[in-house]
Amino acid sequence: MERYTILIADDEAEIVDLIALHMEKEGYHTIKAYDGKQALLAVQSQPVDLAILDIMMPGLDGYEATRQIREAFVLPIIFLSAKTSDLDKITGLVMGADDYMTKPFNPLELTARVNAQLRRLKLLSQQHSGGTHKAPIEAAGLVVDPDKRTVLLYDAEIELTPKEFDILVLLMSHPKIVFSAEHIFQQVWGEAYYENGNTVMVHIRTLRKKLGEDKNKFIKTVWGVGYTFNG
């Protein structure tokens, strides 16, 4: 059985220990860090499959740690933070997080989200190792390569988080088809829909911003139904 390594970074030792306890019950190996610098060093010095990061850490906060991790490593990142506003969540997702949970949190829900991220990571790994090839998708100056996981808009590369990329591929692969928030969540997150749609809505919002929504109307909202690719 494959054993994943989970990095847990928070300046509150009690929270780190609590999360580690639940992760280890699931059979995961854990690495503990208590600030952003320790978290970054851990990722740089040993294999890490997923990171759970607090935002407000001393020295190097979770935002900056994520930015530096994203420069060289591809792994799921879950923010766990006392910052609860929609703006805070949007900022976290824009900075590169794949998921965002607020404190106080339910350890069982966090464990479920970790499991979902790692299931998706394993599925993507199997798809690439299986030798399957997916041709780039092109529409109105937008070129998405599912294999290389790159996005070009008028030949300029656009940096997307893994979830933003997967949403874009889903919509572009089925142009003019309207996907509900529930369907998008189930397809991209790979688990049962258990939220009120805000997670999908936030990712769509940040995706539109990166694609230059003021100039390019690639993603259309069909009110009361869902979203569709309009390229």
Side-chain angles (χ1 to χ4, degrees):
M1 179 179 175
E2 188 173 4
R3 194 179 189 205
Y4 290 106
T5 297
I6 310 296
L7 168 65
I8 306 161
D10 196 298
D11 58 345
E12 297 184 54
E14 296 84 357
I15 291 179
V16 173
D17 291 341
L18 174 64
I19 296 172
L21 177 65
H22 283 270
M23 294 299 111
E24 289 164 6
K25 283 183 178 179
E26 288 290 302
Y28 299 133
H29 172 65
T30 61
I31 302 171
K32 299 179 180 180
Y34 303 99
D35 59 44
K37 290 183 179 179
Q38 290 181 11
L40 183 60
L41 180 61
V43 174
Q44 292 172 336
S45 61
Q46 57 197 301
V48 173
D49 297 297
L50 181 145
I52 301 170
L53 304 180
D54 182 28
I55 292 177
M56 295 181 289
M57 292 186 290
L60 194 70
D61 66 18
Y63 292 145
E64 181 60 22
T66 295
R67 188 190 67 78
Q68 294 190 37
I69 289 171
R70 285 281 181 243
E71 288 182 349
F73 303 94
V74 178
L75 71 155
I77 295 175
I78 298 176
F79 275 151
L80 184 64
S81 176
K83 299 166 87 59
T84 60
S85 74
D86 286 343
L87 179 59
D88 292 325
K89 295 176 184 179
I90 292 169
T91 300
L93 295 170
V94 169
M95 291 298 295
D98 297 285
D99 203 350
Y100 191 111
M101 282 193 67
T102 58
K103 299 177 183 178
F105 65 98
N106 184 329
L108 296 180
E109 181 182 352
L110 177 60
T111 301
R113 295 192 183 206
V114 168
N115 290 342
Q117 291 289 340
L118 292 175
R119 281 197 303 270
R120 181 160 189 81
L121 183 68
K122 183 176 182 179
L123 178 61
L124 289 173
S125 176
Q126 290 173 342
Q127 289 174 344
H128 286 298
S129 63
T132 58
H133 174 71
K134 296 182 179 179
I137 310 168
E138 301 183 31
L142 184 64
V143 181
V144 176
D145 191 322
D147 287 344
K148 296 179 181 178
R149 295 186 70 82
T150 58
V151 178
L152 297 177
L153 180 57
Y154 304 121
D155 295 325
E157 187 165 1
I158 305 296
E159 295 291 338
L160 300 182
T161 68
K163 288 293 187 294
E164 291 167 356
F165 183 88
D166 291 341
I167 290 172
L168 182 59
V169 169
L170 175 65
L171 297 179
M172 286 189 71
S173 298
H174 305 84
K176 307 303 181 182
I177 301 298
V178 181
F179 289 89
S180 67
E182 178 179 1
H183 193 169
I184 293 172
F185 189 90
Q186 290 171 343
Q187 290 292 315
V188 172
W189 276 259
E191 58 185 288
Y193 187 71
Y194 59 87
E195 298 193 13
N196 60 7
N198 285 340
T199 296
V200 172
M201 180 185 69
V202 167
H203 280 76
I204 291 287
R205 185 185 303 166
T206 57
L207 177 56
R208 281 171 162 164
K209 183 177 180 180
K210 291 180 180 181
L211 294 177
E213 188 183 41
D214 56 330
K215 300 178 181 178
N216 309 292
K217 304 295 183 181
F218 289 116
I219 300 175
K220 178 183 177 181
T221 298
V222 180
W223 296 108
V225 183
Y227 305 94
T228 184
F229 185 75
N230 195 42

